[in-house]
Amino acid sequence: MSEAGNTASHTPASAPAFCPPQYTRVIDLDSGPIYHCDYSGAISVSINGAPFSRTWWQFEGDSVTEFSPTAKAQLGSWDTRFEDDYARWLASQPPPSAHQP
């Protein structure tokens, strides 16, 4: 990480703006929706100035890593949990309405 252009930063999670959709929970109240992220924050890593990975973490110890296309090309194999969780979430969504305004 010590080379120029390599950085890491932490950002607290904030649903729905900064939380992947598969980890965003919505509680519908009479006063409006309340959003919650399953993760507390994310550590983003850039290599040579380009995004490489973002690890979403919880205080309880769980984490999941989102790898960029560049990272995937360089790594060849990686933990696919982030993509697998997204695919399950996407499959659970209702189909788009056939009647678009």
Side-chain angles (χ1 to χ4, degrees), residues 52 67-80:
F52 191 82
F67 292 97
S68 71
T70 300
K72 292 174 185 177
Q74 289 180 11
L75 295 171
S77 67
W78 59 92
D79 181 346
T80 62

Side-chain angles (χ1 to χ4, degrees), residues 53-85:
S53 66
R54 180 174 288 153
T55 299
W56 295 90
W57 62 272
Q58 295 176 341
F59 283 106
E60 296 82 6
D62 188 28
S63 66
V64 63
T65 301
E66 171 185 9
F67 292 97
S68 71
T70 300
K72 292 174 185 177
Q74 289 180 11
L75 295 171
S77 67
W78 59 92
D79 181 346
T80 62
R81 181 176 160 206
F82 183 89
E83 291 90 349
D84 297 342
D85 289 348

Side-chain angles (χ1 to χ4, degrees), residues 12-49:
S14 177
F18 188 67
C19 183
Q22 68 268 38
Y23 306 125
T24 299
R25 307 295 165 228
V26 182
I27 301 167
D28 288 315
L29 301 175
D30 290 339
S31 59
I34 294 179
Y35 296 92
H36 173 76
C37 188
D38 291 348
Y39 290 92
S40 301
I43 298 169
S44 301
V45 175
S46 292
I47 304 291
N48 296 321

